[in-house]
Amino acid sequence: MVADPVPLQLAAELFPNGISRYAIGGLFVGLGAAVIYVGTGISAGASTFLESTLSYVSGQSRFQQYVASRDWRIVFTLGIILGAAVYAVVYQGGAWTTDVSWWRLLLGGVFVGIGTRVGKGCTSGHGVCGVGSASKTSIAGVLAFLLVAILTAQIVAALGVTP
């Protein structure tokens, strides 16, 4: 009996460059989250980066709660940026480019920032660390993130919006 080729065709369509880069990237993300958790006891979400950075210049208690962990958070965030930059240069032959206009990137960043505060964390924190630790709140958050993202993408595509 011959296996059904439909799943393979779907995988080839969804991942035209193969899945190995995503699997390897996922392993690195998981390993990084585990190392940070084992080393600090803190989940490795990136959304507290801004607040922890503001603890250097503001005396407000809201920001001062991060004083003990702000140094590694900055190193963590710089590692995310530099790791992606090195990958882009080494494996993609150059820096990032986009056709998306600057104001859309800025507006999207504002929405993401508001969403991380309302959702009490970012997709990386909830998706990697929260789901990994079986947090019901994080699982519900990730489901909400996915549903809203899928719905938004469908609406944007139906409206014919381009970068």
Side-chain angles (χ1 to χ4, degrees):
M1 180 176 227
V2 176
D4 186 10
V6 173
L8 293 176
Q9 291 172 346
L10 180 61
E13 185 178 320
L14 292 173
F15 304 102
N17 297 318
I19 63 166
S20 62
R21 66 176 56 192
Y22 307 108
I24 292 168
L27 288 172
F28 276 118
V29 168
L31 179 63
V35 166
I36 288 172
Y37 186 76
V38 168
T40 66
I42 300 171
S43 294
S47 66
T48 54
F49 170 71
L50 178 61
E51 285 186 311
S52 64
T53 303
L54 289 174
S55 71
Y56 285 106
V57 295
S58 173
Q60 291 186 8
S61 62
R62 172 182 179 174
F63 304 126
Q64 291 304 307
Q65 67 180 332
Y66 298 106
V67 169
S69 65
R70 67 184 177 190
D71 295 336
W72 76 259
R73 289 180 192 276
I74 289 176
V75 172
F76 173 69
T77 305
L78 290 175
I80 292 172
I81 296 166
L82 291 175
V86 167
Y87 181 87
V89 169
V90 172
Y91 294 104
Q92 296 176 334
W96 306 286
T97 60
T98 182
D99 294 330
V100 178
S101 57
W102 69 269
W103 67 269
R104 288 184 178 172
L105 292 171
L106 179 66
L107 184 62
V110 168
F111 284 149
V112 168
I114 292 169
T116 60
R117 289 295 94 203
V118 172
K120 305 235 185 275
C122 59
T123 54
S124 64
H126 285 296
V128 175
C129 301
V131 171
S133 62
S135 163
K136 292 176 185 173
T137 303
S138 291
I139 292 168
V142 169
L143 289 173
F145 299 152
L146 287 172
L147 290 173
V148 170
I150 291 167
L151 180 64
T152 302
Q154 295 301 315
I155 292 170
V156 167
L159 293 174
V161 177
T162 59

PDB file of all heavy atoms in Angstrom, residues 123-137:
ATOM      1  N   THR A 123       4.518  36.651  22.902  1.00  0.00           N
ATOM      2  CA  THR A 123       4.328  35.311  22.354  1.00  0.00           C
ATOM      3  C   THR A 123       5.492  34.397  22.688  1.00  0.00           C
ATOM      4  O   THR A 123       5.300  33.202  22.891  1.00  0.00           O
ATOM      5  CB  THR A 123       4.146  35.374  20.826  1.00  0.00           C
ATOM      6  OG1 THR A 123       5.248  36.099  20.257  1.00  0.00           O
ATOM      7  CG2 THR A 123       2.859  36.051  20.459  1.00  0.00           C
ATOM      8  N   SER A 124       6.693  34.944  22.764  1.00  0.00           N
ATOM      9  CA  SER A 124       7.840  34.093  23.097  1.00  0.00           C
ATOM     10  C   SER A 124       7.747  33.597  24.533  1.00  0.00           C
ATOM     11  O   SER A 124       8.003  32.422  24.807  1.00  0.00           O
ATOM     12  CB  SER A 124       9.161  34.835  22.864  1.00  0.00           C
ATOM     13  OG  SER A 124       9.271  35.953  23.729  1.00  0.00           O
ATOM     14  N   GLY A 125       7.379  34.473  25.437  1.00  0.00           N
ATOM     15  CA  GLY A 125       7.265  34.056  26.841  1.00  0.00           C
ATOM     16  C   GLY A 125       6.144  33.067  27.056  1.00  0.00           C
ATOM     17  O   GLY A 125       6.324  32.019  27.677  1.00  0.00           O
ATOM     18  N   HIS A 126       4.968  33.391  26.541  1.00  0.00           N
ATOM     19  CA  HIS A 126       3.827  32.489  26.702  1.00  0.00           C
ATOM     20  C   HIS A 126       3.997  31.227  25.860  1.00  0.00           C
ATOM     21  O   HIS A 126       3.729  30.122  26.321  1.00  0.00           O
ATOM     22  CB  HIS A 126       2.519  33.187  26.320  1.00  0.00           C
ATOM     23  CG  HIS A 126       2.030  34.159  27.328  1.00  0.00           C
ATOM     24  ND1 HIS A 126       1.648  33.790  28.592  1.00  0.00           N
ATOM     25  CD2 HIS A 126       1.848  35.506  27.263  1.00  0.00           C
ATOM     26  CE1 HIS A 126       1.250  34.855  29.272  1.00  0.00           C
ATOM     27  NE2 HIS A 126       1.369  35.916  28.487  1.00  0.00           N
ATOM     28  N   GLY A 127       4.421  31.393  24.620  1.00  0.00           N
ATOM     29  CA  GLY A 127       4.497  30.261  23.697  1.00  0.00           C
ATOM     30  C   GLY A 127       5.585  29.266  24.026  1.00  0.00           C
ATOM     31  O   GLY A 127       5.390  28.061  23.940  1.00  0.00           O
ATOM     32  N   VAL A 128       6.742  29.748  24.403  1.00  0.00           N
ATOM     33  CA  VAL A 128       7.859  28.844  24.682  1.00  0.00           C
ATOM     34  C   VAL A 128       7.872  28.425  26.145  1.00  0.00           C
ATOM     35  O   VAL A 128       7.849  27.243  26.465  1.00  0.00           O
ATOM     36  CB  VAL A 128       9.202  29.491  24.289  1.00  0.00           C
ATOM     37  CG1 VAL A 128      10.371  28.606  24.683  1.00  0.00           C
ATOM     38  CG2 VAL A 128       9.239  29.788  22.797  1.00  0.00           C
ATOM     39  N   CYS A 129       7.914  29.410  27.024  1.00  0.00           N
ATOM     40  CA  CYS A 129       8.053  29.095  28.450  1.00  0.00           C
ATOM     41  C   CYS A 129       6.732  28.725  29.109  1.00  0.00           C
ATOM     42  O   CYS A 129       6.661  27.769  29.872  1.00  0.00           O
ATOM     43  CB  CYS A 129       8.689  30.273  29.176  1.00  0.00           C
ATOM     44  SG  CYS A 129      10.321  30.694  28.535  1.00  0.00           S
ATOM     45  N   GLY A 130       5.679  29.483  28.820  1.00  0.00           N
ATOM     46  CA  GLY A 130       4.385  29.225  29.456  1.00  0.00           C
ATOM     47  C   GLY A 130       3.768  27.918  29.029  1.00  0.00           C
ATOM     48  O   GLY A 130       3.329  27.118  29.869  1.00  0.00           O
ATOM     49  N   VAL A 131       3.722  27.668  27.725  1.00  0.00           N
ATOM     50  CA  VAL A 131       3.167  26.396  27.237  1.00  0.00           C
ATOM     51  C   VAL A 131       4.067  25.244  27.670  1.00  0.00           C
ATOM     52  O   VAL A 131       3.582  24.183  28.065  1.00  0.00           O
ATOM     53  CB  VAL A 131       2.980  26.421  25.702  1.00  0.00           C
ATOM     54  CG1 VAL A 131       2.629  25.057  25.169  1.00  0.00           C
ATOM     55  CG2 VAL A 131       1.902  27.436  25.319  1.00  0.00           C
ATOM     56  N   GLY A 132       5.388  25.490  27.626  1.00  0.00           N
ATOM     57  CA  GLY A 132       6.336  24.454  28.050  1.00  0.00           C
ATOM     58  C   GLY A 132       6.172  24.049  29.503  1.00  0.00           C
ATOM     59  O   GLY A 132       6.479  22.928  29.880  1.00  0.00           O
ATOM     60  N   SER A 133       5.666  24.967  30.323  1.00  0.00           N
ATOM     61  CA  SER A 133       5.441  24.634  31.732  1.00  0.00           C
ATOM     62  C   SER A 133       3.970  24.340  32.017  1.00  0.00           C
ATOM     63  O   SER A 133       3.559  24.284  33.166  1.00  0.00           O
ATOM     64  CB  SER A 133       5.924  25.782  32.631  1.00  0.00           C
ATOM     65  OG  SER A 133       5.186  26.956  32.366  1.00  0.00           O
ATOM     66  N   ALA A 134       3.188  24.150  30.957  1.00  0.00           N
ATOM     67  CA  ALA A 134       1.770  23.772  31.036  1.00  0.00           C
ATOM     68  C   ALA A 134       0.916  24.802  31.773  1.00  0.00           C
ATOM     69  O   ALA A 134      -0.052  24.460  32.438  1.00  0.00           O
ATOM     70  CB  ALA A 134       1.612  22.385  31.657  1.00  0.00           C
ATOM     71  N   SER A 135       1.269  26.082  31.625  1.00  0.00           N
ATOM     72  CA  SER A 135       0.468  27.144  32.242  1.00  0.00           C
ATOM     73  C   SER A 135      -0.834  27.310  31.473  1.00  0.00           C
ATOM     74  O   SER A 135      -0.833  27.556  30.271  1.00  0.00           O
ATOM     75  CB  SER A 135       1.257  28.462  32.209  1.00  0.00           C
ATOM     76  OG  SER A 135       0.394  29.553  32.432  1.00  0.00           O
ATOM     77  N   LYS A 136      -1.959  27.172  32.173  1.00  0.00           N
ATOM     78  CA  LYS A 136      -3.267  27.318  31.523  1.00  0.00           C
ATOM     79  C   LYS A 136      -3.439  28.723  30.953  1.00  0.00           C
ATOM     80  O   LYS A 136      -4.004  28.898  29.875  1.00  0.00           O
ATOM     81  CB  LYS A 136      -4.390  26.992  32.520  1.00  0.00           C
ATOM     82  CG  LYS A 136      -4.428  25.531  32.904  1.00  0.00           C
ATOM     83  CD  LYS A 136      -5.484  25.275  33.951  1.00  0.00           C
ATOM     84  CE  LYS A 136      -5.414  23.824  34.401  1.00  0.00           C
ATOM     85  NZ  LYS A 136      -6.287  23.544  35.526  1.00  0.00           N
ATOM     86  N   THR A 137      -2.958  29.717  31.672  1.00  0.00           N
ATOM     87  CA  THR A 137      -3.043  31.097  31.199  1.00  0.00           C
ATOM     88  C   THR A 137      -2.271  31.270  29.901  1.00  0.00           C
ATOM     89  O   THR A 137      -2.747  31.904  28.956  1.00  0.00           O
ATOM     90  CB  THR A 137      -2.503  32.061  32.271  1.00  0.00           C
ATOM     91  OG1 THR A 137      -3.226  31.864  33.476  1.00  0.00           O
ATOM     92  CG2 THR A 137      -2.599  33.494  31.822  1.00  0.00           C
TER      93      THR A 137
END
